[in-house]
Amino acid sequence: MHPETHLQLHTIRSAELRCQAADFRLAHPRAGIDTDTGTRAPRTGLRARLGLTMVELGLRLLPDGSVAPCGAAPRTA
């Protein structure tokens, strides 16, 4: 198949799939997702704050000398 023909068929198929996806989003709306673009709303709620707090707590629990010296690295092979 000629490359130009293949590219044109691919372009047509991708446009069809985008149209089907847009129709599906309109038929099945979900909370927190914009039905026009399909993008998620930014997470600024409890879940994000809890995750950042857990990371901060984990970093505080690490001892100061937690990094192993080069000679004590485990072997991989």
Side-chain angles (χ1 to χ4, degrees):
M1 182 182 301
H2 194 269
E4 295 292 326
T5 305
H6 181 74
L7 181 61
Q8 192 172 20
L9 289 174
H10 178 72
T11 304
I12 292 169
R13 179 65 180 146
S14 65
E16 290 174 355
L17 289 174
R18 284 191 192 99
C19 183
Q20 288 177 2
D23 291 342
F24 183 84
R25 281 194 303 270
L26 289 175
H28 302 90
R30 291 175 51 194
I33 297 180
D34 185 10
T35 55
D36 293 333
T37 61
T39 57
R40 290 187 172 273
R43 291 185 178 175
T44 57
L46 179 64
R47 183 176 177 181
R49 286 186 290 170
L50 178 64
L52 290 174
T53 304
M54 290 175 65
V55 168
E56 184 180 346
L57 177 64
L59 291 174
R60 286 184 184 177
L61 290 175
L62 289 174
D64 291 334
S66 64
V67 179
C70 295
R75 290 182 43 160
T76 58

